[in-house]
Amino acid sequence: MNIVIFGPPGAGKGTQSNLIVKKFNLHQLSTGELLRKEIKNKTELGNQISSIINAGNLVSDEIVGNLIEKYISNKSFNDKIIFDGYPRNLIQARYLDNLLNKYNQKINIALKLSVSLETIKKRIFERKTIESRADDHEEIAIRRYKTYENNIKPVIDFYKQSNLLSVVNGEATISEISNEISGLIEAIKGWH
Ligand code: AP5
Ligand code: MG
């Protein structure tokens, strides 16, 4: 079972992925977290990408593509990945499809968390006081939201056409959303 979870900044991708990995024994692959780790460790890659992330723009498809291949090719994660924040554009969606094909895997469900910009602002404002993420300033969060809006439509269509898309109301409580997602995953597990 491989899962894609996507949605705007603050939609709850990380929160819900965390709950899903525990419940279904999967592994979370958050490209955002992997990139932040590179920045924190001051690696060459980290230095290269920090200004892009802190401006709320997308890192190159090639960089994130390399990061995800490391996971997909790893046998211990075989058919057990939840992709948190990947893909973010059509090139990435196609790349992921091809990569999974290469390793005899596929996506079983793509979850879209929908939330309004008002909710996003509120959540990110609150998280800022706890996590102090460099890209959690209001203007940058709005920029991240716009980046999302500018790129995501073809990704939505891509998964819709493959009959993999499930839209989840991200405005509900964390446990309500988690219950809904669990139900969707269990329904799929029942088919296989
Ligand atoms: P990334 O780290 O993925 O950031 P993001 O997409 O902006 O999303 P967030 O992590 O901010 O939000 P989330 O949806 O995980 O919400 P969370 O669960 O934390 O990416 C960062 C950057 O990396 C990108 O801008 C880009 O530069 C780069 N990048 C990453 N992937 C890339 C890719 N594929 N290609 C190119 N570049 C890439 O929740 C937010 C807060 O709300 C938390 O405090 C949480 O407790 C709270 N909360 C969650 N759910 C609820 C709820 N239901 N009710 C109330 N509060 C809630
Ligand atoms: Mg996140």
Side-chain angles (χ1 to χ4, degrees), residues 7-16 30-33 35-36 52-54 56-61 64 84-89 92 113 119 123-124 126-128 130-131 133 135-136 144 147-148 170-175 177:
K13 301 182 291 294
T15 304
Q16 294 300 329
S30 161
T31 40
E33 272 175 31
L35 295 168
R36 279 191 291 281
I52 302 170
I53 292 201
N54 294 339
N57 296 322
L58 292 185
V59 170
S60 82
D61 296 327
V64 279
D84 162 0
Y86 190 100
R88 293 198 190 223
N89 59 30
Q92 294 183 7
L113 286 174
T119 302
R123 287 187 190 168
I124 289 191
E126 280 166 22
R127 187 176 63 187
K128 204 172 137 199
I130 310 162
E131 280 183 35
R133 246 172 72 170
D135 61 350
D136 270 354
R144 277 152 63 203
T147 303
Y148 171 82
E171 301 278 347
T173 66
I174 291 174
S175 62
I177 298 170

Side-chain angles (χ1 to χ4, degrees), residues 108-174:
N108 299 87
I109 186 168
L111 301 162
K112 174 181 182 283
L113 286 174
S114 297
V115 282
S116 69
L117 182 57
E118 277 322 295
T119 302
I120 290 167
K121 283 189 199 162
K122 218 177 84 205
R123 287 187 190 168
I124 289 191
F125 181 77
E126 280 166 22
R127 187 176 63 187
K128 204 172 137 199
T129 59
I130 310 162
E131 280 183 35
S132 66
R133 246 172 72 170
D135 61 350
D136 270 354
H137 296 289
E138 182 166 327
E139 4 27 299
I140 305 298
I142 294 171
R143 173 73 204 156
R144 277 152 63 203
Y145 176 75
K146 287 193 174 139
T147 303
Y148 171 82
E149 289 279 292
N150 289 341
N151 290 287
I152 211 67
K153 179 78 170 54
V155 177
I156 298 170
D157 292 339
F158 181 87
Y159 288 118
K160 212 187 264 174
Q161 278 156 19
S162 337
N163 270 324
L164 292 173
L165 184 73
S166 286
V167 180
V168 174
N169 175 14
E171 301 278 347
T173 66
I174 291 174

Side-chain angles (χ1 to χ4, degrees), residues 37-47:
K37 208 178 279 170
E38 297 283 336
I39 297 174
K40 192 169 161 242
N41 294 340
K42 297 193 160 54
T43 64
E44 204 185 314
L45 176 62
N47 295 336

